[in-house]
Protein backbone atom coordinates (compact mmCIF):
# COMPACT_ATOMS: atom_id res chain seq x y z
CA UNK A 1 0.00 0.00 0.00
CA UNK A 2 2.81 2.42 0.83
CA UNK A 3 4.09 2.50 -2.75
CA UNK A 4 0.57 3.18 -4.05
CA UNK A 5 0.05 6.03 -1.58
CA UNK A 6 3.39 7.63 -2.49
CA UNK A 7 2.54 7.45 -6.20
CA UNK A 8 -0.91 8.96 -5.56
CA UNK A 9 0.67 12.06 -3.98
CA UNK A 10 1.69 13.11 -7.50
CA UNK A 11 -2.00 13.28 -8.50
CA UNK A 12 -3.38 14.95 -5.38
CA UNK A 13 -4.38 18.65 -5.22
CA UNK A 14 -1.39 20.96 -5.50
CA UNK A 15 -1.43 24.54 -4.21
CA UNK A 16 1.49 26.88 -4.83
CA UNK A 17 0.58 30.07 -3.00
CA UNK A 18 3.60 32.01 -1.70
CA UNK A 19 1.29 34.59 -0.09
CA UNK A 20 -0.49 31.91 1.94
CA UNK A 21 2.02 29.32 3.11
CA UNK A 22 -0.42 27.88 5.66
CA UNK A 23 -2.94 26.87 2.96
CA UNK A 24 -0.07 25.61 0.83
CA UNK A 25 1.22 23.45 3.73
CA UNK A 26 -2.25 22.08 4.56
CA UNK A 27 -2.99 21.22 0.92
CA UNK A 28 0.40 19.80 -0.08
CA UNK A 29 1.55 17.85 3.00
CA UNK A 30 0.97 14.10 3.18
CA UNK A 31 1.51 11.58 5.98
CA UNK A 32 2.28 8.03 4.89
CA UNK A 33 2.32 5.05 7.20
CA UNK A 34 2.95 1.36 6.62
CA UNK A 35 1.93 -1.88 8.25
CA UNK A 36 4.68 -4.14 9.62
CA UNK A 37 4.32 -6.56 6.69
CA UNK A 38 4.73 -3.68 4.22
CA UNK A 39 7.84 -2.45 6.04
CA UNK A 40 9.42 -5.89 5.97
CA UNK A 41 8.60 -6.65 2.33
CA UNK A 42 9.66 -3.34 0.77
CA UNK A 43 13.19 -2.45 -0.21
CA UNK A 44 14.70 0.99 0.26
CA UNK A 45 15.36 1.23 -3.49
CA UNK A 46 11.68 0.50 -4.32
CA UNK A 47 10.45 3.28 -2.05
CA UNK A 48 13.10 5.73 -3.25
CA UNK A 49 12.18 5.03 -6.89
CA UNK A 50 8.50 5.78 -6.26
CA UNK A 51 9.32 9.03 -4.43
CA UNK A 52 11.57 10.06 -7.34
CA UNK A 53 8.78 9.31 -9.86
CA UNK A 54 6.37 11.29 -7.69
CA UNK A 55 8.78 14.25 -7.66
CA UNK A 56 8.94 14.09 -11.47
CA UNK A 57 5.12 14.03 -11.70
CA UNK A 58 4.90 17.06 -9.40
CA UNK A 59 7.59 18.87 -11.43
CA UNK A 60 5.52 18.27 -14.58
CA UNK A 61 2.39 19.57 -12.86
CA UNK A 62 4.19 22.70 -11.62
CA UNK A 63 5.29 23.41 -15.19
CA UNK A 64 1.75 22.82 -16.49
CA UNK A 65 0.45 25.33 -13.93
CA UNK A 66 2.94 27.86 -15.29
CA UNK A 67 4.23 28.62 -11.79
CA UNK A 68 7.31 30.83 -12.34
CA UNK A 69 8.96 30.66 -8.92
CA UNK A 70 10.94 28.27 -6.78
CA UNK A 71 9.17 25.10 -5.66
CA UNK A 72 10.51 22.16 -3.71
CA UNK A 73 9.24 18.62 -3.11
CA UNK A 74 10.62 17.22 0.13
CA UNK A 75 10.44 14.06 2.24
CA UNK A 76 11.23 13.34 5.89
CA UNK A 77 10.72 10.59 8.46
CA UNK A 78 8.57 11.76 11.36
CA UNK A 79 9.82 9.36 14.00
CA UNK A 80 7.33 10.42 16.67
CA UNK A 81 4.34 9.86 14.37
CA UNK A 82 5.98 6.78 12.80
CA UNK A 83 5.33 8.14 9.32
CA UNK A 84 7.03 9.25 6.17
CA UNK A 85 5.88 12.73 5.30
CA UNK A 86 6.20 14.67 2.09
CA UNK A 87 5.20 18.09 0.91
CA UNK A 88 5.62 20.60 -1.88
CA UNK A 89 6.24 24.25 -1.13
CA UNK A 90 6.85 27.43 -3.09
CA UNK A 91 10.23 27.85 -1.43
CA UNK A 92 13.82 26.85 -2.21
CA UNK A 93 15.19 23.86 -0.23
CA UNK A 94 17.04 26.08 2.25
CA UNK A 95 13.78 27.81 3.27
CA UNK A 96 11.51 24.85 4.03
CA UNK A 97 8.72 25.70 6.50
CA UNK A 98 9.90 23.72 9.53
CA UNK A 99 9.71 25.27 12.99
CA UNK A 100 12.83 23.46 14.14
CA UNK A 101 16.26 22.77 12.75
CA UNK A 102 16.62 20.57 9.70
CA UNK A 103 19.48 19.40 7.53
CA UNK A 104 19.18 18.71 3.82
CA UNK A 105 20.23 15.21 2.83
CA UNK A 106 21.09 14.14 -0.69
CA UNK A 107 20.44 10.54 0.38
CA UNK A 108 16.71 9.76 0.34
CA UNK A 109 17.61 6.11 0.91
CA UNK A 110 18.92 6.85 4.39
CA UNK A 111 15.63 8.50 5.35
CA UNK A 112 13.60 5.62 3.93
CA UNK A 113 15.82 3.05 5.61
CA UNK A 114 15.23 4.71 8.98
CA UNK A 115 11.49 4.41 8.44
CA UNK A 116 11.50 0.82 7.15
CA UNK A 117 13.88 -0.55 9.77
CA UNK A 118 12.29 1.04 12.82
CA UNK A 119 12.00 -2.23 14.73
CA UNK A 120 9.55 -0.86 17.27
CA UNK A 121 7.72 2.07 15.70
CA UNK A 122 6.46 4.52 18.28
CA UNK A 123 8.42 2.93 21.14
CA UNK A 124 11.25 4.71 22.94
CA UNK A 125 13.37 2.42 25.04
CA UNK A 126 14.37 3.45 28.54
CA UNK A 127 18.03 3.47 27.49
CA UNK A 128 17.21 6.11 24.84
CA UNK A 129 15.70 8.48 27.38
CA UNK A 130 17.80 11.39 28.61
CA UNK A 131 17.63 12.41 32.24
CA UNK A 132 16.69 16.06 32.70
CA UNK A 133 17.82 18.08 35.70
CA UNK A 134 15.59 21.10 36.09
CA UNK A 135 17.92 23.13 38.29
CA UNK A 136 21.24 22.35 36.67
CA UNK A 137 22.88 24.17 33.82
CA UNK A 138 23.25 22.16 30.63
CA UNK A 139 26.14 22.62 28.28
CA UNK A 140 25.37 23.57 24.69
CA UNK A 141 26.25 20.02 23.59
CA UNK A 142 23.82 18.48 26.09
CA UNK A 143 21.00 20.78 25.06
CA UNK A 144 21.67 20.33 21.34
CA UNK A 145 18.74 18.97 19.39
CA UNK A 146 19.44 16.68 16.48
CA UNK A 147 18.09 18.37 13.34
CA UNK A 148 15.48 16.70 11.20
CA UNK A 149 16.97 15.02 8.10
CA UNK A 150 15.07 16.09 4.95
CA UNK A 151 15.49 15.06 1.32
CA UNK A 152 14.50 17.83 -1.11
CA UNK A 153 14.43 18.31 -4.85
CA UNK A 154 13.57 21.36 -6.92
CA UNK A 155 10.32 21.05 -8.85
CA UNK A 156 9.87 24.69 -9.83
CA UNK A 157 10.98 26.90 -12.69
CA UNK A 158 13.31 28.92 -10.43
CA UNK A 159 15.72 27.34 -7.97
Amino acid sequence: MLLTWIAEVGDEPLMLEPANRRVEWETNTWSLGAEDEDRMSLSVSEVVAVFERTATAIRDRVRELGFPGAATFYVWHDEQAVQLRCSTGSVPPDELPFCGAYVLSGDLGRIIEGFLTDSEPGVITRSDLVEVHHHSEQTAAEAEIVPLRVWATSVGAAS
Side-chain angles (χ1 to χ4, degrees):
M1 274 318 286
L2 179 64
L3 298 179
T4 301
W5 291 336
I6 295 167
E8 288 175 351
V9 167
D11 297 323
E12 292 293 336
L14 180 64
M15 170 79 64
L16 295 173
E17 193 63 50
N20 195 343
R21 297 279 162 83
R22 181 176 167 201
V23 169
E24 189 177 85
W25 174 264
E26 290 170 358
T27 303
N28 300 341
T29 303
W30 301 98
S31 301
L32 307 161
E35 298 294 327
D36 288 342
E37 61 193 46
D38 220 7
R39 287 170 181 274
M40 294 174 9
S41 67
L42 293 172
S43 71
V44 170
S45 61
E46 286 176 301
V47 179
V48 167
V50 175
F51 268 121
E52 289 173 343
R53 285 193 299 273
T54 299
T56 299
I58 291 172
R59 184 175 297 112
D60 292 344
R61 290 184 60 204
V62 170
R63 288 186 182 137
E64 288 171 11
L65 292 170
F67 183 75
T72 303
F73 175 71
Y74 51 104
V75 177
W76 69 99
H77 175 200
D78 183 334
E79 293 181 36
Q80 290 181 329
V82 193
Q83 297 172 332
L84 284 173
R85 296 202 179 179
C86 62
S87 190
T88 304
S90 59
V91 294
D94 60 347
E95 295 178 23
L96 298 177
F98 289 107
C99 294
Y102 69 94
V103 61
L104 292 174
S105 172
D107 186 2
L108 177 55
R110 185 168 174 195
I111 293 168
I112 302 305
E113 183 177 26
F115 173 74
L116 293 178
T117 61
D118 190 348
S119 63
E120 296 185 62
V123 175
I124 299 173
T125 62
R126 186 161 181 76
S127 63
D128 289 337
L129 295 175
V130 177
E131 187 174 336
V132 176
H133 300 283
H134 294 286
H135 298 291
S136 67
E137 290 185 31
Q138 289 183 321
T139 66
E142 290 173 329
E144 184 178 327
I145 296 173
V146 176
L148 182 64
R149 183 175 308 284
V150 181
W151 176 81
T153 186
S154 176
V155 293
S159 51

